[in-house]
Amino acid sequence: MEFTEWIRGRTDEQLRVLVSARPELITPVPAHLEGLASRAASPSAIGRVLDRLDRFTLAVVETLAVRPGPTSRKQLRDLIGAALDGDEEAGRADPEPALSEALGRLSDFALVYGPDDALDLGPGVRKVLEDPAGLGPSAVDAFRHHAPELLEEMADDVAPGTEGAGKERLAAALAEPAALVGAVSAEARGALDQLVWGPPTGRVPNARREVRVASARSPIEELLARGLLAATGEESVTLPREVGLYLRGGRVHRGLRATPPPLEGTARDPDLADRTAAGQAFSFVRSVEELCERWGADPPGVLRTGGLGVRDLKRTAGELDLPEWVTALVVEVAHAAGLIAAGGGVDGEWLPTSGYDLWRIRPVADRWMTLAATWLRMDRVPGLVGDRSAGARRERAGAATPTSGEAGATARRGDERDRPLNALHADLRRSSAARVREATLRVLASSPGLAPERDSVLERLAWEQPRRRGPLREQLVEFALREAEQVGMTGLGALAGHGRALIEGDDPAGVLAPLLPEPVDHVLLQADLTAVAPGPLTSELNRWMALTADVESKGGATVYRFSEGSVRRALDAGHGAEELLSVLGRHSATPVPQALSYLVTDVARRHGRIRVGTASAYIRCDDPALLDQIIADRRSAALRLRRLAPTVIASRSSRAALVDSLRAMGYAPVAESIEGDVIVSQLESRRTEGTAPVRTIASANGLDPEVAAAAVRALRAGDAAHLARREPVDAPNGQVPRGPATATISALQEAIKQGVRVWIGYLDSQGNATSRILEPARMEGGYLTAYDETRAAVHRFALHRITGVTGL
């Protein structure tokens, strides 16, 4: 059966399954089914779908690939059964259930087609598979570069007395190579055994093609002379496929599992794992919130090459009290979610976006869902931050991502100089990152309540996607496992219920919300100028405490410490002493200690007595004695102060530098504007409107069913038009359809509703009546939008020019 006709004979449901599983085939939608078949046979499309096959299903494809032509289902079952019997761990198994499932999947993917007595691979599949099952090329391909006279000499040695061309005689002899193998020495047989189960190629010095059996001086030359090895270069040889299959005893695979290997790990109580993951999810949300608050007040700069400086990352890690790799994860997820972006003018700073303010007011469970979904599908790899060899490893793995402009060139030079990769740098993108994360979590989802070991997860993924292997992939799996724990997808190594809901497309917020700790709206003020938060604080109280006190320790209860600097920070933000004490009293389960009241009152009394303005800068104070004290202070010599009046001192320093210097000397100045008003510093005021330039990868769950159905309808319509152009079809009774306008409109509306094709009569611009085969899509504004099968394109038709409608 021809492949295109097989595609054309598939039902609409089968075509919907095909395009849903291989969405690249309809991007864009081909004009007809012949185009779909051609696209399905392209090497790139075949390579992508082969990458999605598990070990057993790929083995079925490889088994068919080594067969010279169509294979019956019985022969295929025998070959697969022999491989299953060779797996001592799995034991003898009935191949039929697994084979039926694999063939059904391969048929859905259009990789295998034909009836059960003549199953064959789709066009192009054999060419894409390199060394299927570790077997080399067929004898005809292996010796295709040998000279005809050399093939004649080899055929005379291995098949004397036979007739025909040298290539055909040699191929016929190698089809039954028992006598040839039995004639070689033990050393030569040992060399063959090293190539039997792959790889089928080897390197040897002076691989001469013209060697004869009588003149062979080494084991390799024995094999070359008899055609048991083929010289493919001056120092390379390959084992012909027929010889490999004979040496394997007719088996295509050494050992094969019909089911994935079991996961090994530690059993966890599901409820405990869910609660642990929920607590980590809450902490991750709070870490992102604290990051944005801190960067809103004191944003780090953007490097010239892009990204976040190493020192800024270390400083942020200290402020968040997190390891640097966790901090990099927090920064990258916040960036990918659009909560922080580069802004701030020419030099550039990393600032929260306006979207952060909208995200912050949502419930915690919804906020976590945004972050977790972003982490799951983003194409960035936070785990590579600080890796000095990431660039070289990416090149070896073939996963390099193109960069452009000066930043890309500098990034490449940085890799060559063994520089570490920075957080937020464009070079952290890896196109396979999202797929690896989702595949890893689905492995965890297959065994609820189990925290699998790393090697067990890698072994399972190697079975599920054997063509997607390599050092980079293993590293991405390790990153996915440890990051899932930090994000809150897993607890104690086991996938949590809300994590499962996220990867399955359900509502994780509803699952997570009951597990989250209830925020508290009070603290315990203590006489030693500390405050203890007995649990996670509400968002507003958390921001207030971060403003008025410094975090001393974290854990089950967070301890804050009040100091002169922290109180001054709140006063600088525009809050008064009475307001501070009132808020603290309202949110404290204990009375405000006298020591704290004295601290706030004393700092507020001294706060703002000195005013700093612009001269370059000046100092203004109503107390001349205090200004005398400043001038007399030796530490003020660098400020180059000059007395202008009893209450005014001028300086050549900038206002900001003068304020910082006076505070370092123990004073409490405030800045004032040119009009004399106090400048209040609002910590949360800095925002950027920029959006984070981060790509996310859609989940690999297939197309939306409605999109797939629409694509199939368009393919059917286009194919009908394609066939109609070969044999022109006349209108019924030789006349174009005609009918009342109301009936025409009703018929078109019904066709749109049912999704069926119709035959219409249509007047062109010259008034000539023509007929068209259409698949109507919608009517609006006096026009019909439809797929025109006669032209294989979407067109708009004026309703007043449609003479009538006839069903098909």
Side-chain angles (χ1 to χ4, degrees), residues 263-269 272-274 276-277 440-441 443-445 447-454 457 480-482 484-486 489-496:
L263 288 176
E264 299 179 357
T266 305
R268 303 292 189 191
D269 176 41
L272 178 60
D274 287 352
T276 303
T440 302
L441 292 182
V443 168
L444 270 61
S447 297
L450 182 71
E453 299 174 355
R454 165 191 169 276
V457 174
L481 289 173
R482 74 174 187 177
E485 194 79 14
Q486 290 297 322
M489 294 285 289
T490 60
L492 303 175
L495 186 66

Side-chain angles (χ1 to χ4, degrees), residues 390-400 430 432 469-473:
R393 179 164 55 251
R394 189 185 68 249
E395 294 292 342
R396 291 196 302 269
R430 299 294 184 272
S432 60
R469 303 183 67 176
L472 177 62
R473 182 173 177 82

Side-chain angles (χ1 to χ4, degrees), residues 781-796:
Y783 285 89
L784 170 70
T785 301
Y787 181 83
D788 187 350
E789 295 186 11
T790 55
R791 298 184 179 181
V794 175
H795 285 287
R796 297 181 70 200

